[in-house]
Structures are given as C-alpha cells and as structure tokens.
Amino acid sequence: MEIISGTKDIYINGPSCVAIGKFDGVHIGHQSLLMEITQYAKSHADEDFKSVVFTFDPAPESFFGGESGVLTTPAEKRILFERKGIDILIEYPFDKATADTEPLDFLNNLIVGRIGAVMMAAGSDLSFGKKGLGNADLLKSYGKENDIEVRIIDKLTVKLDKEYEVSSTLIRQMVS
C-alpha cells in the first residue's frame, strides 16, 4: 500500500475509487466503505482502478479542539487499511486553509482533479469543506452531475441490550 502523508502535493495517475472519512477506529461501518471501493476497483481491474482512502491528519475535531480519544493509532490504521486491500492511503494535512475550502472546490480540485475519483463512497454522516457544508446529499448530486458513481453507506446497527448505530463515539462510550 502506498501512503501519502504530510503533503498537499498529491496527484494519482489514473482512475480511482475513493472512500472519504475520518476512519478514527476502522470499525465495521468503516470497513463497509472499504469493501465498497475495493470491490468496485476489482470489478474494473482491466482499467487499473486504484482503491484510495482519503482522510485528514489531524482529524478536524482535533484541529478545532473537539472530541478526542483515538481508537486506533495511525500505525494501526495503516495496517488495517493494508489488510483490507487498499492501494493508496492519503492522510491529507488539515489546517486553516483546508478548513476554509469550499465543498465543491474540494471535490473538483482535489478528489476528482488530483486523485481522479470515478467512484466515491462515504458514510451518511459525511461532512466536508468550509463550515462542514459538504454532506452526503451534496456528494450524491455532484456525482449525478459529473457522471461519478457515489455510494452513501447508512450507519450499521448492532443489537446489544438495545439497538445502537455503530460509530466511533459509541465505541468510545462503551470502552469508558
């Protein structure tokens, strides 16, 4: 697996299937996103599609002083992504300039323009771009307008004493 970290100077040669998210725990919900992009890439192997995980470093919450409590270290995440068959991991620097990027500029210039996304997958709670205005609905409409396959994955649930939506927050709460 190729790892691109600590730089905004990114260019992927060829088409890619991109999972966008925090991936702060690589839990079963995250793994379903990874499965979407790796299966799509394999089904287009003759076109040499790459499976790409796009995440931020540091996580936006950490940058803005929010929720902490890492479930997996960066090194552990890298191992898990590699085991899931990811071709390229992008740990994109999150700073003020990144936070101020308009959602459509983020998609046009970075995800499609420099990473070559022809397919994108994200969770239904996706938030990106300036003031978090980019969301799953925007991503879906962007995909339709630009002939890009977009798959939005709903939250998975688990039944314990009651039914819960799987999230890193839930896992942190249960661990504590």
Side-chain angles (χ1 to χ4, degrees):
M1 177 178 74
E2 179 183 354
I3 299 170
I4 302 170
S5 184
T7 182
K8 292 184 177 185
D9 187 22
I10 296 169
Y11 180 76
I12 308 276
N13 187 19
S16 65
C17 307
V18 182
I20 304 169
K22 291 183 281 187
F23 301 99
D24 47 354
V26 195
H27 55 63
I28 60 173
H30 295 142
Q31 290 174 38
S32 65
L33 288 177
L34 303 178
M35 189 175 5
E36 287 291 327
I37 64 167
T38 55
Q39 288 180 348
Y40 195 90
K42 285 178 186 171
S43 72
H44 293 81
D46 57 326
E47 300 168 69
D48 197 28
F49 282 21
K50 301 290 183 211
S51 58
V52 177
V53 169
F54 183 95
T55 191
F56 293 107
D57 184 34
E61 290 80 7
S62 296
F63 179 80
F64 291 117
E67 185 176 312
S68 61
V70 177
L71 295 174
T72 53
T73 68
E76 290 168 332
K77 282 196 283 191
R78 290 174 175 184
I79 291 167
L80 293 169
F81 290 139
E82 187 165 27
R83 285 182 183 163
K84 293 296 178 184
I86 299 304
D87 296 312
I88 302 169
L89 168 62
I90 299 172
E91 298 169 332
Y92 196 79
F94 193 87
D95 55 22
K96 182 162 178 18
T98 303
D100 288 340
T101 303
E102 293 293 334
L104 290 177
D105 290 340
F106 173 78
L107 293 171
N108 284 324
N109 300 331
L110 182 58
I111 302 299
V112 175
R114 290 192 276 146
I115 300 175
V118 295
M119 184 271 191
M120 294 182 273
S124 58
D125 60 348
L126 173 69
S127 173
F128 64 93
K130 189 173 187 173
K131 297 182 181 177
L133 294 174
N135 58 28
D137 289 335
L138 176 74
L139 193 62
K140 286 189 286 192
S141 69
Y142 180 86
K144 283 182 186 173
E145 292 170 13
N146 295 281
D147 196 29
I148 295 170
E149 175 89 18
V150 173
R151 297 188 183 171
I152 302 299
I153 308 303
D154 289 327
K155 293 269 190 180
L156 298 177
T157 58
V158 293
K159 187 155 178 82
L160 302 170
D161 58 326
K162 63 179 186 175
E163 199 158 293
Y164 295 92
E165 284 188 347
V166 175
S167 70
S168 297
T169 300
L170 171 68
I171 295 168
R172 275 190 284 276
Q173 290 170 349
M174 294 188 136
V175 168
S176 68

